[in-house]
Amino acid sequence: MPFAPGGSTDIIARLIGERLSGTLGQPVVIENRPGAAGNIGAEIVARSASDGYTLLMATTGVMSINNALYQNMSFDSATNFDYVVFVASITNVLIVAADSPLHNVAELIAAAKRSPGKLSFASSGAGSSTHMSAELFKIMAGVDLLHVPYKGSGPALPDVITGRVSMMFENMPGAVPYVRAGTVRALAVTGLRRTSALPEVPTVTESGILGYESLSWSGIAVAAGTPRDVIARLNREINAILAAPEMRQRLADQGAEAVGGTPEAFAEHAKRERDKWSRVIRDANIAVN
């Protein structure tokens, strides 16, 4: 798990790991290794034995953003991993503190234009989907926001709640409990349609930025060269977990949609996302040393 405990990827990893332990008949340990927008944990898996015993929670940032964003990468997400299965697609949600003066996207944009660079946004790390969602928003809304990166959503959310940072495009599973508890206010979701987890919250497109879409996602990857039969076994077991009605409902309650499918479909999805986010990084002139 290349991020800190408490974020959406961690939540999903633990839901999958608990059930996978039962189907495989052996313990599945969730090891959190946060830092560098997931690169530290991903590098550990890339350099692990190609035997299928070390799995990566492969996210949007790690698999489709970081190679374009970071100047000195120790691995290549396109060649150093074998794809196992697409686990979940996740809508992000734009949140502010419950007592924030910002009540909708229009007010946020107006405030940002009055004071360029004054409003700040937290992310779970440079290159994460929570970062790129904001960068895409900045481009399409024509605003300047200050980026404050953290080592995962877990450490970032308390500063959003207290108003130390102005906002965050948090993954839905991490944000939903705080929205429902009333400790943060949800302004918009980043998909093209509303989500059943927060049906009253409009999309960014509904809020005036037509065509805006930024989805986070996660899947399972292993070190390149892992035997095909091992990948097939993992794919089969995890697909069965994702197909269970109880699991699909658990994910839906968190604002995530179970996906599943073949390793090849997951690899193709990651490639399409690499193409999209590489363009955003280039257009926004973003670079991290």
Side-chain angles (χ1 to χ4, degrees):
M1 235 303 299
F3 299 100
S8 63
T9 308
D10 185 67
I11 293 168
I12 293 173
R14 293 177 190 281
L15 288 172
I16 296 292
E18 178 184 354
R19 289 154 182 78
L20 190 61
S21 178
T23 61
L24 294 179
Q26 57 184 297
V28 175
V29 178
I30 309 299
E31 182 179 356
N32 296 89
R33 296 297 294 268
N39 288 341
I40 291 174
E43 182 182 9
I44 291 171
V45 179
R47 294 184 175 182
S48 68
S50 301
D51 56 11
Y53 280 90
T54 305
L55 315 179
L56 173 68
M57 281 302 292
T59 63
T60 317
V62 170
M63 307 308 285
S64 297
I65 294 173
N66 291 359
N67 270 109
L69 182 68
Y70 285 81
Q71 302 302 301
N72 298 298
M73 290 284 289
S74 60
F75 63 90
D76 186 338
S77 61
T79 60
N80 290 146
F81 298 102
D82 285 338
Y83 292 79
V84 176
V85 64
F86 192 163
V87 170
S89 178
I90 307 164
T91 300
N92 289 350
V93 55
L94 172 56
I95 56 174
V96 298
D99 59 356
S100 169
L102 306 174
H103 292 83
N104 53 55
V105 170
E107 290 182 0
L108 189 159
I109 292 173
K113 289 186 174 181
R114 282 196 303 270
S115 304
K118 182 178 179 180
L119 296 182
S120 58
F121 69 92
S123 80
S124 56
S128 64
S129 72
T130 60
H131 175 203
M132 289 295 106
S133 291
E135 294 293 348
L136 183 62
F137 181 86
K138 286 168 58 178
I139 292 171
M140 295 185 71
V143 295
D144 181 18
L145 305 171
L146 175 66
H147 180 209
V148 183
Y150 291 77
K151 289 185 177 181
S153 294
L157 283 164
D159 283 355
V160 179
I161 292 168
T162 61
R164 186 177 181 184
V165 289
S166 307
M167 72 195 79
M168 184 176 184
F169 284 81
E170 169 60 335
N171 299 154
M172 188 70 73
V176 165
Y178 296 96
V179 175
R180 290 175 177 167
T183 52
V184 299
R185 178 186 301 137
L187 303 188
V189 296
T190 62
L192 292 178
R193 62 182 187 274
R194 296 192 185 197
T195 172
S196 60
L198 297 172
E200 73 284 359
V201 179
T203 66
V204 175
T205 285
E206 287 180 284
S207 303
I209 305 180
L210 300 181
Y212 178 96
E213 181 185 32
S214 178
L215 300 178
S216 179
W217 47 264
S218 62
I220 301 292
V222 291
T226 298
R228 301 309 300 175
D229 62 325
V230 172
I231 291 175
R233 170 79 189 281
L234 290 169
N235 177 270
R236 184 170 63 252
E237 300 291 0
I238 296 171
N239 266 310
I241 290 169
L242 294 172
E246 177 264 346
M247 184 63 177
R248 300 182 76 85
Q249 188 60 52
R250 287 287 299 275
L251 290 174
D253 289 344
Q254 297 288 336
E257 180 181 355
V259 180
T262 66
E264 293 77 17
F266 183 30
E268 180 58 32
H269 171 77
K271 181 182 183 303
R272 288 195 301 269
E273 287 282 279
R274 275 196 294 274
D275 293 343
K276 171 182 177 176
W277 292 115
S278 292
R279 289 193 298 271
V280 171
I281 290 165
R282 182 182 65 248
D283 292 348
N285 195 28
I286 306 167
V288 178
N289 295 324

